[in-house]
Amino acid sequence: ALKGGAGRVADSLAATDKLDRVRKGSRAKVYLLQLEAGATYTINLKSGDFDAYLRLEDATGRELAHDDDGGGGHDARLVFAPTATATYRLIVTSFNDAETGAFTLTIER
């Protein structure tokens, strides 16, 4: 759904999802993205059920960017221009502990 660094996913965070390693009380889903150096990507996470939080990591788990409310209201937005073509980890989670529910994730180049 997110091939070529673009796409849209409708999914949900559930109480059965793994806990995030950074926001320790929050559930998380991880998406792998192949992003190209020299391009700029806009990543939006929207939810009416929880306060959306996005984190972007490199393949080693080093955080490169994060956002809480940059998409307006309780939605998150990252604008990212990778310096290397690589596979990145996009972590969808919530700002507040134990929040779950539906979300929409979009990535545009």
Side-chain angles (χ1 to χ4, degrees):
L2 299 174
K3 297 183 190 249
R8 181 179 187 278
V9 171
D11 203 345
S12 63
L13 284 178
T16 54
D17 288 329
K18 291 184 178 183
L19 288 171
D20 184 53
R21 69 177 183 82
V22 173
R23 304 197 64 74
K24 303 208 182 282
S26 297
R27 301 296 172 174
K29 291 222 167 154
V30 178
Y31 296 89
L32 299 178
L33 303 173
Q34 179 69 28
L35 303 180
E36 295 180 16
T40 299
Y41 299 88
T42 301
I43 305 165
N44 288 295
L45 175 61
K46 297 182 181 221
S47 177
D49 295 335
F50 62 89
D51 187 354
Y53 194 93
L54 271 174
R55 200 170 65 254
L56 186 70
E57 300 177 344
D58 66 13
T60 67
R62 182 173 60 101
E63 184 176 295
L64 303 174
H66 67 270
D67 185 73
D68 176 24
D69 294 334
H74 291 293
D75 295 332
R77 173 180 291 149
L78 291 175
V79 177
F80 182 69
T83 57
T85 298
T87 299
Y88 294 85
R89 295 170 35 92
L90 182 63
I91 297 89
V92 170
T93 188
S94 63
F95 182 79
N96 299 309
D97 290 353
E99 288 185 323
T100 58
F103 65 84
T104 302
L105 177 66
T106 58
I107 301 173
E108 299 174 342
R109 184 174 169 170

